[in-house]
């Protein structure tokens, strides 16, 4: 899925990036609080990797999913 759609302007794109960074920092903070420094870093990488994989596989507005094999 494309990260930005064709209809988004610069303000919407900047807001989306800032929201994603804020959510990632919040997830990292919670992971470190619950699992410690090393466990939190590992948990954060696993969760973020899963979120990015799901976002990559989901279909977007412009067409098929990114992982579709034809």
């Amino acid at each position: 899925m494309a990260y930005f759609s064709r209809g988004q302007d610069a303000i919407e794109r900047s807001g989306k990036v800032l929201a994603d960074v804020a959510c990632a920092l919040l997830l990292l903070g919670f992971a470190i609080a619950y699992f410690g420094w090393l466990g939190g870093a590992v948990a954060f990488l696993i969760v973020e990797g899963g979120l990015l994989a799901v976002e990559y596989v989901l279909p977007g507005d412009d067409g098929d999913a990114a992982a579709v094999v034809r």
Side-chain angles (χ1 to χ4, degrees), residues 6 11-14 19 21 26-27 29 34-35 39 41 43 51 63 69:
R6 293 179 187 165
I11 294 174
E12 287 178 302
R13 290 176 187 223
S14 299
V21 168
L26 187 65
L27 281 173
Y34 284 110
F35 302 116
L51 290 173
V69 177

Side-chain angles (χ1 to χ4, degrees), residues 27-43:
L27 281 173
L28 179 62
F30 282 130
I32 290 172
Y34 284 110
F35 302 116
W37 285 102
L38 184 59
V42 171

Side-chain angles (χ1 to χ4, degrees), residues 1-3 8-9 15-19 25-26 34-35 37 39 42 44 46 52 56 62-65:
M1 171 163 126
Y3 190 72
Q8 290 178 328
D9 59 1
K16 187 173 185 179
V17 170
L18 288 176
L25 291 174
L26 187 65
Y34 284 110
F35 302 116
W37 285 102
V42 171
F44 174 75
I46 291 171
L52 290 173
Y56 177 74
D62 297 333
D64 292 332

Side-chain angles (χ1 to χ4, degrees), residues 46-57:
I46 291 171
V47 169
E48 283 295 319
L51 290 173
L52 290 173
V54 167
E55 186 173 327
Y56 177 74
V57 172

